[in-house]
Amino acid sequence: QVQLVESGGGMVQPGGSLRLSCAASGRIFSFNVVGWYRQAPGKERELVAAIGSGGATIYGNFVKGRFTIASDNAKNTVYLQMASLKPEDTAVYYCAAGPSIMTMGASGSWGQGTQVTVSS
């Protein structure tokens, strides 16, 4: 089973940038879709962005052009470049891969998460 490992989280000031990485132990697009999700304390998990094996991307409505998801298939890694970060972006960010976004929760492979804190 392919394992996913996130990295790149940390603390950043409002307006700052971070790049998260999701490295797979095997061929990352052995799955149909890879997504970044986040969960803040007391809130439900939400989709941040996802990329399909063909390169199609989708983003959560709250992203509003601030984040970019991209893949490097040679490195079996998916990135989430985040800019113009806001305090409300503070959350644990998870990488997940699976057959579809709709079934990710039940049948996807998930990483352990990386904390992103946006604070002055």
Side-chain angles (χ1 to χ4, degrees), residues 20-94:
L20 306 184
S21 299
C22 172
S25 60
R27 190 169 65 89
I28 197 162
F29 282 113
S30 61
F31 303 98
N32 286 336
V33 61
V34 179
W36 283 98
Y37 294 76
R38 70 184 188 183
Q39 187 165 23
K43 295 187 177 181
E44 292 188 353
R45 186 174 63 199
E46 60 184 348
L47 175 68
V48 178
I51 184 168
S53 57
T57 58
I58 63 169
Y59 296 91
N61 290 336
F62 58 86
V63 170
K64 299 187 185 301
R66 299 181 298 129
F67 300 172
T68 302
I69 189 170
S71 66
D72 184 334
N73 293 352
K75 295 183 178 179
N76 289 309
T77 300
V78 169
Y79 302 99
L80 183 68
Q81 180 69 50
M82 303 187 294
S84 302
L85 284 162
K86 306 174 183 179
E88 51 264 43
D89 294 317
T90 295
V92 179
Y93 284 69
Y94 297 92

Side-chain angles (χ1 to χ4, degrees), residues 8-13 17-18 115-120:
M11 180 175 287
V12 64
Q13 292 186 341
S17 299
L18 280 175
Q115 176 71 46
V116 171
T117 302
V118 184
S119 175
S120 56

